[in-house]
Amino acid sequence: MNRRDILLGGLAAGAALTVPGTAHARNLARAFEEAFGVPPAATPPALPVMAEPNPAYDARLLEIARRELQRAGNVVWRHDIVGIADFARPSTLPRFHFVNLEAGTIKSFHVSHGRGSDPAHSGFLQAFSNVPGSEATSRGAYLTCEWYKGKYGTSVRLEGLDPDNSNALDRAIVMHPADYAREDYITRFGRLGRSEGCFAMSPAHFNEALWNLSGGRLLYADRIEV
């Protein structure tokens, strides 16, 4: 018996003492994912892991960054860099884009979506939600606020600017580093782990968020179409 089976068996035994039936199964799956950032299910069919260069896509990101800054107006007071999370892409592709409008450049990294947006853990965001307790990702524009020390270390608070993400502060939707957002999880399990609705990045890359999206900048999340 390997270490994974032993650990899963231990979780099952502990959960069985208190939770019957289907509730036991749900609690077991969640306990496993919280412990290891991945579900105990078998790896699904392979998802794409490389995005081909696409000038039209890059131009669309620049267009959206300018549009969303204009829409946000004076609420956003740093207009040099905009973060755009494209949840049309699976979690296996770099889909969090730092769009530098002054330099005309884009840097892209992996980011997790919420488990409530992808209950089957397919690797694709299935739906957005602003409902408290949904553990889903919300679409729309966010203002980046102050850094703070939280469960995952230094994190960035977010204030939702749209009706679709107006509960971001109350739901504690933030940017934070997480082991389950590391790229090696894709190699091992076929996709990233899921968050509780937050924008989770690999600890190796999270400084990019701290450097490029410090307080007063804009983050925008949606499915991007070219």
Side-chain angles (χ1 to χ4, degrees):
M1 179 178 290
N2 59 34
R3 181 173 180 270
R4 178 187 176 99
D5 293 335
I6 294 171
L7 290 169
L8 184 56
L11 287 169
L17 294 175
T18 56
V19 186
T22 58
H24 159 54
R26 288 194 300 268
N27 275 16
L28 173 58
R30 178 154 182 170
F32 191 95
E33 182 172 355
E34 288 179 348
F36 304 106
V38 294
T43 301
L47 298 172
V49 295
M50 293 186 63
E52 295 295 327
N54 186 341
Y57 182 77
D58 292 348
R60 179 66 172 147
L61 293 177
L62 289 162
E63 175 190 344
I64 290 171
R66 296 188 186 99
R67 181 196 74 194
E68 291 302 315
L69 280 175
Q70 183 176 14
R71 189 170 70 89
N74 294 332
V75 173
V76 177
W77 51 280
R78 291 184 174 180
H79 291 189
D80 52 348
I81 298 174
V82 174
I84 298 180
D86 178 8
F87 289 112
R89 291 184 166 190
S91 67
T92 52
L93 292 179
R95 57 181 180 171
F96 195 99
H97 310 291
F98 295 97
V99 182
N100 189 320
L101 292 171
E102 292 183 346
T105 59
I106 299 169
K107 297 174 69 175
S108 304
F109 300 90
H110 290 87
V111 68
S112 291
H113 54 251
R115 60 170 61 93
S117 289
D118 179 15
H121 207 165
S122 67
F124 282 94
L125 180 144
Q126 305 295 331
F128 293 102
S129 177
N130 190 37
V131 175
S134 67
E135 297 187 339
T137 297
S138 298
R139 65 168 16 124
Y142 298 80
L143 177 69
T144 64
C145 302
E146 74 278 7
W147 299 0
Y148 73 99
K149 288 286 187 180
K151 175 182 177 181
Y152 294 97
T154 303
S155 306
V156 182
R157 294 191 198 279
L158 300 173
E159 179 182 351
L161 302 180
D162 289 320
D164 286 337
N165 62 8
S166 58
N167 291 321
L169 282 174
D170 290 342
R171 293 179 61 207
I173 301 302
V174 303
M175 294 190 71
H176 66 72
D179 285 341
Y180 59 75
R182 299 196 320 261
E183 291 180 28
D184 67 323
Y185 270 65
I186 298 171
T187 303
R188 295 166 60 196
F189 304 110
R191 72 282 197 212
L192 297 183
R194 300 167 296 175
S195 69
E196 295 179 353
C198 294
F199 299 85
M201 295 178 63
S202 168
H205 298 145
F206 191 68
N207 276 346
E208 295 285 341
L210 299 180
W211 294 331
N212 294 312
L213 283 184
S214 56
R217 289 189 173 92
L218 186 73
L219 186 164
Y220 181 71
D222 205 345
R223 293 187 179 95
I224 305 303
E225 297 181 359
V226 179

